[in-house]
Amino acid sequence: MVGVCLVLAYLLRWKWDWLHVLLVGLFLVAASPVSNSLFVMFTSEPYRRWYYMLVFLLVLATIKVLDHLQDYPWRAGCGISAAVIAAITLYLYVKRDTIVYRKYWLVVLTLIAIGGVVLLFAALGGVRRLRLRRPMAALTACTALVAALTTGFTVGTYQRAYTQTIGLTTTEIYGDVIHSGDGLPDALPYRYYFWEPYSNRGMAAYLPDRTSFLSTLSPSIFTLYDALGDERHAITPAGPEGTNELLSVGYYIRNNSDWPDEIYTSFSNGHEQINVYQDSHALPIGFCYDTYMTRSEFDEIDPAERAHAMLKTLVVADEDEATVSTILRHYDAALDGEISQENKYTDMDKRREACTDVFDYGTDYFYSEITSGSEQYAFFSVPYDKAWSATVNGEAAEILNINGLMAVKVDAGKNCIRFHYSPTPLWCGIGVSAISILLTAIYLLAGRRSRKSKKEVL
């Protein structure tokens, strides 16, 4: 509501405390595309979501000025802010035919911006005749009003945009996202593949879906797609041919009939028919290899065939070759066949000879039973993380990082494999937070007693 008026007042005092220095530093970071990309590990895409942290600091600076208004040049802050608003508005007005999408909103937003500065200036006593009796109450009420109006406007804009571009009402969109997975069973150790990952239908239905649209992921997911020669951003990429088979996709969910398999089942999500197709060749999560190749050799393969290579043989890090070579034979194209799409189903049949027979999972573990004819390595398309630990038949097992996924050695015969996830950093963070809260409480309590003692002395 008050913009950066009081932030400017805070900075104009030139008191170089920690907040002043931090704000100046963050402004410089925000002005540079290169420094902005720090937050996404210097990728080529711009990233601005970190601005919410900057906004919190701007709010803190504003509060500090309001607490000690007489110590800061708030009139100058309001004046500079008004001048910048006027300059931006003038520039946009001149360029209105080329860069302004909705011209009437330029007028509305300008009036809101100027009105906010005028209201703040008057509330703080800048205009005696307009000085409010309860300025903070007025600012709070106006802020709440603007927040309600802008939120309602945003929701309405999204509704209209979806209706215009997709041709569905909001009720139909809700059904499309929420009810497109209704009645589908938990398919693990297989995964679903929903059409168009943007809507996160699998997540909405609490189903194991291969695709998703989100930016909070295990770093190992990026390792996998980098290895396959693809890029994983906010939306899951399709990956090269063979990726679905590698990641144990057993069912394809479509809102049309353009799929080569026969319809397994179908249902309505409220406005259209949803078809479910089952891949009869699908591999479960957890299957074994008796050959291997190194990552260096894997990187020499055409990216279009890399998923097929991972179906053909276990791809191990170069430093793990000495470990696996005592169990597995090095991949030989003459003996094991060429890596190609034509050999995909043959390779899958080979993997099916020793794969998951029993599967179970919980919030911090998953369990697989595999019967193998010899010592092999069992591969699981679950993101690798140091927080995972594994046991095979009750004995601790070393987990290998296989292009961002996991594998463990199994013995001849029946193998009971259990992976357990223990996020140590999370528990450390919880512990630090708990200690911080306790120390803060002790500090506040001690300060309160100290002030009380001083009052009694006086």
Side-chain angles (χ1 to χ4, degrees):
M1 186 65 199
V2 300
V4 295
C5 295
L6 301 187
V7 177
L8 292 173
Y10 186 84
L11 296 176
L12 288 172
R13 189 184 177 191
W14 299 107
K15 180 182 179 182
W16 289 92
D17 57 6
W18 68 271
L19 181 57
H20 194 133
V21 173
L22 188 57
L23 285 175
V24 172
L26 291 176
F27 287 149
L28 294 176
V29 170
S32 168
V34 174
S35 57
N36 266 278
S37 66
L38 265 170
F39 293 89
V40 283
M41 299 301 291
F42 291 110
T43 61
S44 59
E45 294 186 350
Y47 187 80
R48 301 292 184 270
R49 292 184 181 180
W50 71 271
Y51 283 173
Y52 82 89
M53 296 183 287
L54 174 58
V55 170
F56 286 150
L57 295 174
L58 299 182
V59 171
L60 177 59
T62 300
I63 293 172
K64 291 174 75 70
V65 173
L66 288 173
D67 280 346
H68 303 280
L69 197 62
Q70 67 281 0
D71 297 332
Y72 294 92
W74 57 269
R75 290 181 175 82
C78 291
I80 295 173
S81 184
V84 171
I85 292 171
I88 293 175
T89 303
L90 179 62
Y91 174 77
L92 292 177
Y93 181 80
V94 172
K95 298 286 186 177
R96 64 188 183 279
D97 294 327
T98 56
I99 65 174
V100 177
Y101 180 55
R102 293 187 177 95
K103 299 179 179 63
Y104 62 90
W105 275 110
L106 172 61
V107 177
V108 173
L109 295 175
T110 299
L111 292 176
I112 292 174
I114 293 177
V117 175
V118 171
L119 175 62
L120 176 67
F121 192 76
L124 298 181
V127 181
R128 292 183 179 179
R129 292 182 180 179
L130 298 179
R131 185 167 183 174
L132 303 176
R133 293 182 178 180
R134 302 183 64 184
M136 293 303 103
L139 285 175
T140 301
C142 289
T143 301
L145 177 62
V146 170
L149 291 175
T150 53
T151 301
F153 169 76
T154 302
V155 171
T157 300
Y158 266 100
Q159 289 179 337
R160 289 191 298 273
Y162 267 92
T163 300
Q164 293 170 3
T165 58
I166 301 178
L168 302 178
T169 66
T170 52
T171 301
E172 290 171 334
I173 293 171
Y174 178 84
D176 176 49
V177 174
I178 302 300
H179 297 303
S180 288
D182 272 3
L184 293 176
D186 183 345
L188 286 172
Y190 299 94
R191 293 187 173 99
Y192 288 101
Y193 190 104
F194 282 81
W195 82 99
E196 193 264 317
Y198 177 81
S199 295
N200 282 326
R201 296 178 181 86
M203 294 176 64
Y206 297 94
L207 294 173
D209 182 17
R210 198 216 118 181
T211 61
S212 64
F213 172 66
L214 71 166
S215 54
T216 304
L217 296 165
S218 167
S220 297
I221 294 294
F222 299 94
T223 301
L224 171 65
Y225 286 105
D226 286 344
L228 294 176
D230 210 336
E231 292 187 1
R232 207 300 183 184
H233 299 293
I235 295 182
T236 302
E241 210 286 329
T243 302
N244 287 336
E245 290 78 3
L246 178 69
L247 300 180
S248 298
V249 173
Y251 300 89
Y252 294 83
I253 316 300
R254 312 284 294 177
N255 63 341
N256 52 48
S257 57
D258 61 344
W259 204 253
D261 299 322
E262 293 185 3
I263 295 177
Y264 176 70
T265 187
S266 63
F267 57 92
S268 173
N269 66 1
H271 72 93
E272 63 181 349
Q273 178 174 300
I274 304 301
N275 296 324
V276 182
Y277 302 87
Q278 183 180 23
D279 183 358
S280 59
H281 300 282
L283 291 167
I285 297 174
F287 46 84
C288 295
Y289 294 86
D290 54 7
T291 64
Y292 77 93
M293 72 165 53
T294 64
R295 176 61 190 267
S296 297
E297 295 168 321
F298 176 80
D299 289 339
E300 298 298 322
I301 298 173
D302 182 352
E305 298 291 349
R306 289 182 182 174
H308 295 140
M310 292 186 69
L311 282 170
K312 171 76 74 173
T313 188
L314 189 69
V315 179
V316 302
D318 290 17
E319 57 269 24
D320 291 330
E321 182 178 13
T323 300
V324 302
S325 61
T326 60
I327 304 298
L328 306 183
R329 176 174 54 83
H330 191 276
Y331 163 72
D332 186 337
L335 294 175
D336 305 308
E338 296 290 337
I339 294 170
S340 67
Q341 180 176 348
E342 289 73 21
N343 291 331
K344 179 179 70 174
Y345 291 117
T346 301
D347 296 335
M348 293 174 68
D349 289 339
K350 178 68 174 177
R351 304 285 75 79
R352 197 173 290 105
E353 292 176 0
C355 64
T356 293
D357 299 317
V358 176
F359 190 86
D360 187 26
Y361 71 97
T363 56
D364 59 355
Y365 78 93
F366 67 92
Y367 171 83
S368 168
E369 290 184 9
I370 297 178
T371 301
S372 174
S374 62
E375 286 188 307
Q376 299 189 77
Y377 269 85
F379 166 82
F380 295 87
S381 55
V382 176
Y384 174 87
D385 193 287
K386 291 182 178 180
W388 284 110
S389 60
T391 60
V392 177
N393 295 325
E395 299 290 333
E398 179 186 7
I399 301 176
L400 298 185
N401 186 344
I402 309 298
N403 284 342
L405 305 176
M406 301 193 292
V408 294
K409 185 179 80 69
V410 295
D411 302 321
K414 181 179 178 180
N415 295 270
C416 300
I417 307 163
R418 182 184 178 91
F419 285 82
H420 181 262
Y421 190 81
S422 180
T424 303
L426 173 63
W427 294 115
C428 290
I430 292 174
V432 170
S433 298
I435 293 172
S436 299
I437 292 172
L438 178 61
L439 293 176
T440 302
I442 293 173
Y443 172 78
L444 294 175
L445 183 60
R448 183 178 179 182
R449 289 181 176 178
S450 176
R451 289 190 296 272
K452 185 177 180 179
S453 297
K454 289 182 179 179
K455 289 181 178 180
E456 291 176 353
V457 171
L458 293 175

